[in-house]
Amino acid sequence: MSGLTIALSKGRIFEETLPLLAAAGIVPAEDPEKSRKLIIATNRADVRVVIVRASDVPTYVQYGAADMGIAGKDVLLEHGGAGLYQPLDLQIAKCRMCVAAPAGFDYAAAVRRGARLRIATKYTTVAREHFAGKGVHVDLIKLYGSMELAPLAGLAEAIVDLVSSGSTLKANNLLEVEEIMDISARLVVNQASLKMKRERLQPVISAIEGAIR
Ligand code: ATP
Ligand code: MG
């Protein structure tokens, strides 16, 4: 395949990526929210988009099934980044990763007295490093979604999750008790593709770079 394959996830990443791709002269032929197609053609015969789960984007790019993709820093940290060139912070899909706990739980006091905490999260790698760095003892409980439920159901004392407006936390009577890091989406490129398809890839990367906010 000498053309370019771009891996994207549906939802906010796809929507916020459209203007960046347009700046590179690439316009998807269909909306993945309306179509059930997983491979979407574009206005350019040599460029196609594959629609994958957000957390699968780095894997497609790592193995060269996609030449490039767009993935959140959260997803990239959990993946590890092997085989990926990460040239650009796209400044889209911005949010932050934080520790949140029920309003009635004194997280700071629990940390001060050295309590062992059960933490539910999808982001076990980032969470493990965060708590190890603070010297907080935790049992990490891996979840795949709806982390907010865990403290309410008694599964964990606190969660590590992504927050933007904070309205989901608020709706579930949770408070942000610690910020871990700012998150945004990154352009990722397969390292072999960058060498083999540089003539096709570099103009796309440069155009996207020029279009960042
Ligand atoms: P899936 O829905 O397939 O389980 P997901 O929840 O990770 O995966 P999205 O909700 O589309 O998929 O999130 C994609 C990326 O957008 C995340 O990896 C993160 O970087 C970013 N993101 C997640 N939540 C928010 C948010 N509330 N505001 C802004 N960006 C966010
Ligand atoms: Mg989501």
Side-chain angles (χ1 to χ4, degrees):
M1 249 294 273
S2 62
L4 288 183
T5 299
I6 304 173
L8 297 176
S9 54
K10 284 201 270 193
R12 59 170 66 85
I13 296 270
F14 186 87
E15 280 150 31
E16 296 187 46
T17 296
L18 282 179
L20 300 176
L21 288 180
I26 298 167
V27 182
E30 279 173 278
D31 176 355
E33 299 292 347
K34 291 178 190 137
S35 158
R36 285 167 179 263
K37 282 190 190 163
L38 297 175
I39 301 182
I40 295 181
T42 71
N43 62 321
R44 270 176 57 172
D46 63 336
V47 180
R48 62 180 190 166
V49 171
V50 291
I51 303 297
V52 303
R53 282 289 288 265
S55 47
D56 290 336
V57 166
T59 306
Y60 274 79
V61 177
Q62 170 186 9
Y63 290 102
D67 301 294
M68 58 185 262
I70 293 173
K73 184 180 177 186
D74 51 320
V75 163
L76 290 167
L77 288 171
E78 291 300 314
H79 170 270
L84 303 178
Y85 172 58
Q86 299 184 29
L88 300 175
D89 178 348
L90 301 174
Q91 302 286 337
I92 60 171
K94 284 180 157 191
C95 54
R96 56 195 187 276
M97 196 174 300
C98 71
V99 184
F105 178 72
D106 193 342
Y107 170 80
V111 167
R112 262 186 267 113
R113 66 169 187 273
R116 192 169 187 95
L117 299 176
R118 293 171 302 160
I119 305 287
T121 188
K122 187 164 142 183
Y123 308 101
T124 49
T125 302
V126 173
R128 183 173 295 110
E129 274 182 36
H130 173 72
F131 293 110
K134 292 187 41 128
V136 177
H137 299 289
V138 294
D139 291 317
L140 294 171
I141 300 172
K142 170 83 183 184
L143 290 180
Y144 294 87
S146 300
M147 269 75 83
E148 304 83 13
L149 175 62
L152 310 178
L155 179 64
E157 278 79 47
I159 62 174
V160 168
D161 199 3
L162 300 177
V163 182
S164 52
S165 71
S167 56
T168 305
L169 290 183
K170 201 170 175 190
N172 291 290
N173 201 25
L174 299 171
L175 293 175
E176 181 176 341
V177 292
E178 208 160 69
E179 178 167 349
I180 300 178
M181 66 177 75
D182 286 321
I183 299 288
S184 56
R186 315 290 157 120
L187 184 66
V188 293
V189 181
N190 175 272
Q191 284 173 351
S193 297
L194 190 63
K195 295 196 189 91
M196 308 294 288
K197 302 184 182 178
R198 188 178 271 281
E199 281 159 42
R200 252 188 239 273
L201 273 170
Q202 195 55 57
V204 174
I205 296 170
S206 298
I208 290 175
E209 182 173 22
I212 298 170
R213 273 202 314 148

